[in-house]
Amino acid sequence: MAPPVLSNEEIRRYSRHLIMPEVGMAGQRRLKQGSVLLIGTGGLGSPLALYLAAAGVGHIGLVDFDVVDESNLQRQIVHGTSTVGLAKTESARRRLHDLNPLVEVTTYETPITSANALDLMRPYDIIIDGTDNFPTRYLTNDAAVMLGKPNVYGSIFRFEGQVTVFSPKDGGPCYRCLYPEPPPPGLVPSCAEGGVLGVLPGVIGTLQATEAIKLLTGIGEPLIGRLLLYDALEMRFRELKLRRNVNCPVCGDHPTVTELIDYEQFCGIVPEVQTLSSQYEITPVELAALLETPERPFLLDVRNSYEVEIASIEGTDLLIPVDQLPEQINKLDSSVEIVVYCRSGARSGQAVEMLKAAGFRKVKNLVGGVLRWSDEVDPTMAKY
Amino acid sequence: MAITITIPTALRQYAGNNATVALEADTVGALLHGLVEQYPTLGKHIFDGGKLRSFVNVYVGDEDIRYLQGEATPLKDGETVSIIPAIAGGM
Ligand SMILES: [Zn+2]
């Protein structure tokens, strides 16, 4: 099908593209014909959506089920103070419509799952992975490979980012060729736990947008078979070679994974009730009441020292960052009741498991951590 | 034979907060074991029961050791070895 022609309005808007011979009228018409599905409208999805809309990509799909929160605005620049509390898909749609009303935006306010991934992706030329967890990254990869669509990949952590284009149909590798198996839960911290420099997803998302635009217009050398690494602190870019693994279970010569699987299970994620019974849990309200009694428990903080400066529960007895717990376990007395806490309850959950494995039985995880403590007990406590 | 190892952000806290570590070794395996000896808490993040974890990739220069000779890959003086773990952040 011949790419659609441009209206005079479009010619005015895209003139800075049109006067470059590498893009020109032909390239701009291909952008107008093109479609991109963005999985995630967060840190990476924000600059992606903005630049793809501004560039005139004809159809942009946005998949997200989250709601805009104040703490997103440090980096998620497609959203704004006026859309806090709104669905991210709707917030982004409004901003994109203001930026460029000539592009079509379709929103899907749903998590991407094995049940809907193929249907969501099928209408689009390019898939862009801007999610924040391993199950969704493997799901996005596998579905894109099965549909033969390029997956423009980016991921970030603190000051560091990775970018590449996975496109086995062009002879390149897929995500599973790079990382055959996900890390076990808890070993690799997420951005919510580990933090992220706000401008970092801006750099990485913009690189992803650049690759998507190159793929749609057919210009330049795509980032296929190359992993671009960015270190913001060192201000250094590096490039590593990526190869398609002929034994890859998804894109290899004899694939063994030919339909979408249960990715939560693949990533070792089991429902919380199975990992931690309520005997080893305590709610903020229960803890607050207990701290008023003479039998107050020993309160152990397993966060990092710089987090203590932000917010801390009064009466905390000891700080041992979760990574140092194995070496410092002898500082704890297994005969007294211990309540362990962190920011959200995830790291303290791991700490409780470690203590249980070491024989401790009178140990409880403060569910929801400092965040829920602030919600339910002490609203003056800062959430971060 | 001095080899420079680049440590990713996610693992720097287990390697004395260093971005790079210089060590003497003649194979990738000897290098990584030397690194873990120097920084024991790094061990469980790179190895699982003596084997390199599957979400931790190791490169000599720009080449993945899986396409060289794995941990037996020989090293030349002045080479750079990079540890590149999977990261998933994006929101
Ligand atoms: Zn593959």
Side-chain angles (χ1 to χ4, degrees):
Chain A
M1 200 172 73
V5 294
L6 302 187
S7 66
N8 285 350
E9 192 185 0
E10 286 169 320
I11 290 172
R12 282 196 302 277
R13 178 177 282 266
Y14 305 125
S15 67
R16 296 298 183 283
H17 273 165
L18 301 176
I19 57 176
M20 288 192 295
E22 292 82 357
V23 182
M25 190 60 96
Q28 193 64 50
R29 288 173 64 186
R30 280 198 286 270
L31 287 176
K32 183 177 179 179
Q33 189 179 36
S35 57
V36 175
L37 183 69
L38 297 181
I39 321 272
T41 314
L44 295 170
S46 285
L48 270 160
L50 288 168
Y51 274 111
L52 294 177
V57 171
H59 184 200
I60 298 170
L62 306 171
V63 187
D64 209 313
F65 63 100
D66 207 1
V67 169
V68 181
D69 181 81
E70 240 182 332
S71 69
N72 299 150
L73 301 178
Q74 166 253 22
R75 62 201 176 282
Q76 302 186 9
I77 56 172
V78 77
H79 309 299
T81 308
S82 66
T83 58
V84 167
L86 223 60
K88 283 189 177 174
T89 47
E90 174 56 19
S91 165
R93 196 194 57 74
R94 289 186 191 181
R95 176 78 184 89
L96 298 183
H97 183 74
D98 181 44
L99 179 62
N100 189 352
L102 306 179
V103 301
E104 186 190 344
V105 176
T106 304
T107 58
Y108 308 94
E109 197 187 342
T110 170
I112 186 165
T113 65
S114 299
N116 66 14
L118 295 171
D119 289 336
L120 283 171
M121 292 183 186
R122 205 170 274 116
Y124 294 89
D125 298 327
I126 294 176
I127 310 305
I128 304 195
D129 182 348
T131 58
D132 65 346
N133 62 81
F134 287 105
T136 313
R137 288 194 177 273
Y138 281 93
L139 166 63
T140 302
N141 176 73
D142 292 1
V145 173
M146 286 169 198
L147 293 169
K149 296 182 192 288
N151 170 16
V152 182
Y153 167 89
S155 69
I156 51 174
F157 179 69
R158 289 191 174 172
F159 301 98
E160 205 170 80
Q162 303 180 344
V163 194
T164 189
V165 175
F166 293 121
S167 192
K169 77 167 169 48
D170 297 309
C174 80
Y175 185 55
R176 291 209 198 209
C177 299
L178 175 61
Y179 292 113
E181 282 169 35
L187 211 54
V188 176
S190 70
C191 284
E193 294 164 48
V196 63
L197 186 69
V199 70
L200 177 70
V203 175
I204 300 300
T206 307
L207 291 171
Q208 289 176 279
T210 310
E211 287 305 305
I213 288 168
K214 282 164 57 189
L215 288 173
L216 288 174
T217 52
I219 61 172
E221 202 51 54
L223 194 63
I224 295 173
R226 298 182 283 152
L227 180 68
L228 186 66
L229 304 175
Y230 172 62
D231 183 331
L233 286 186
E234 307 278 319
M235 195 43 82
R236 205 187 303 270
F237 282 95
R238 290 196 299 142
E239 197 182 299
L240 302 173
K241 284 187 193 130
L242 294 186
R243 290 203 167 81
R244 190 174 73 93
N245 175 5
V246 293
N247 298 316
C248 175
V250 180
C251 79
D253 294 344
H254 306 284
T256 51
V257 177
T258 53
E259 53 186 57
L260 299 176
I261 58 171
D262 180 338
Y263 291 87
E264 298 278 325
Q265 191 185 41
F266 177 61
C267 292
I269 295 166
V270 284
E272 233 169 66
V273 283
Q274 290 174 24
T275 57
L276 207 67
S277 64
S278 58
Q279 176 197 348
Y280 295 105
E281 285 183 341
I282 187 165
T283 66
V285 171
E286 288 168 347
L287 175 62
L290 211 54
L291 287 173
E292 299 296 318
T293 67
E295 296 89 55
R296 66 177 301 276
F298 184 88
L299 197 49
L300 173 66
D301 183 352
V302 292
R303 299 173 302 158
N304 292 303
S305 53
Y306 52 82
E307 298 179 81
V308 177
E309 290 170 26
I310 306 171
S312 185
I313 296 177
E314 210 183 304
T316 300
D317 293 289
L318 186 64
L319 172 74
I320 305 179
V322 69
D323 293 313
Q324 291 163 30
L325 191 57
E327 292 102 89
Q328 298 193 36
I329 210 159
N330 56 359
K331 289 186 180 167
L332 299 170
D333 180 353
S334 61
S335 69
V336 302
E337 184 105 37
I338 300 172
V339 173
V340 192
Y341 78 93
C342 67
R343 175 180 167 274
S344 70
R347 280 172 290 172
S348 49
Q350 291 170 35
V352 165
E353 289 302 314
M354 279 184 218
L355 290 169
K356 278 164 67 184
F360 287 65
R361 287 295 170 267
K362 297 165 78 173
V363 51
K364 286 184 162 61
N365 178 27
L366 179 67
V367 290
V370 168
L371 294 177
R372 189 164 157 191
W373 180 269
S374 172
D375 284 337
E376 296 177 6
V377 175
D378 179 7
T380 66
M381 179 182 258
K383 292 207 281 187
Y384 63 100
Chain B
M1 297 225 292
I3 307 293
T4 304
I5 313 171
T6 67
I7 312 288
T9 310
L11 298 181
R12 277 177 206 166
Q13 55 177 311
Y14 312 111
N17 290 317
N18 291 303
T20 58
V21 174
L23 279 180
E24 305 260 320
D26 45 21
T27 64
V28 169
L31 182 78
L32 295 176
H33 285 98
L35 178 68
V36 166
E37 219 163 87
Q38 193 168 334
Y39 300 108
T41 47
L42 194 58
K44 73 161 184 175
H45 294 273
I46 300 182
F47 292 108
D48 181 20
K51 263 186 60 192
L52 260 178
R53 287 186 174 274
S54 59
F55 64 94
V56 175
N57 290 351
V58 177
Y59 292 78
V60 176
D62 65 355
E63 193 63 77
D64 189 335
I65 61 164
R66 284 180 295 194
Y67 298 99
L68 298 169
Q69 296 160 55
E71 290 189 48
T73 305
L75 293 171
K76 289 197 292 285
D77 195 27
E79 264 178 329
T80 297
V81 171
S82 308
I83 300 170
I84 312 288
I87 52 174
M91 299 305 245

